[in-house]
Amino acid sequence: MDLEEPGRQVVLDRLLDLLLVRVLRAWFARPEADPPVGYRALADPRIGHALRLLHQWPARPWTVAALAAEAGMSRAVFARRFTALVGRPPLGYLTEWRMALAADLLREPGAGVAAVARRVGYADGFAFSSAFKRVRGETPSALLRTARANRLAP
């Protein structure tokens, strides 16, 4: 096999991903295992469906009622079950997910606060900046400056 064959690194990366997923599944399937809260939530047919929707379309203007409808549950039952399985309420989880995505986007070259805010579901840069600071402990602008400095550093 030619070590420089096109696509080699992509194949190796995907094989490592597959191996990691298989190992984690086997580990968490053990009776004495204590998997992370979110792992069990993804296995729940209704809550897992809602989580996948949040991950796929984080910028949508989600409400608990809309997520409950997608999951085929009442709003109250959905909110209780989501919180029990995920460890935080649905919209709190969504905010944290959006801020994690935003932090990654802000580290990309050419990123701007307003553009990132829109990509993660905020029409208002001020509301986004406030939420980001509350969740991440620093402003989006500070993260941008750090990311730019790190790219310029030798």
Side-chain angles (χ1 to χ4, degrees), residues 34-58:
D34 186 23
V37 175
Y39 183 81
R40 289 206 172 112
L42 283 169
D44 182 279
R46 293 175 182 217
I47 300 304
H49 176 65
L51 280 168
R52 284 185 283 282
L53 290 173
L54 291 176
H55 283 240
Q56 190 170 7
W57 292 296

Side-chain angles (χ1 to χ4, degrees), residues 23-150:
V23 167
L24 288 173
R25 284 181 180 168
W27 183 264
F28 294 148
R30 297 172 316 127
E32 70 276 10
D34 186 23
V37 175
Y39 183 81
R40 289 206 172 112
L42 283 169
D44 182 279
R46 293 175 182 217
I47 300 304
H49 176 65
L51 280 168
R52 284 185 283 282
L53 290 173
L54 291 176
H55 283 240
Q56 190 170 7
W57 292 296
R60 271 193 182 171
W62 291 109
T63 63
V64 175
L67 288 166
E70 290 284 350
M73 303 169 76
S74 76
R75 184 187 178 286
V77 170
F78 171 80
R80 272 194 310 275
R81 192 161 164 184
F82 188 101
T83 302
L85 289 172
V86 176
R88 61 186 67 94
L91 296 184
Y93 177 86
L94 175 60
T95 299
E96 289 183 18
W97 174 240
R98 285 175 169 172
M99 296 309 118
L101 290 174
D104 289 344
L105 292 169
L106 287 165
R107 289 183 184 99
E108 292 180 1
V113 173
V116 168
R118 283 189 303 277
R119 285 188 63 187
V120 297
Y122 286 81
D124 178 350
F126 180 76
F128 166 71
S129 293
S130 296
F132 192 90
K133 169 99 169 130
R134 185 181 72 251
V135 172
R136 306 287 298 193
E138 67 178 326
T139 65
S141 299
L143 182 66
L144 266 176
R145 282 191 299 277
T146 302
R148 287 180 183 144
N150 289 340

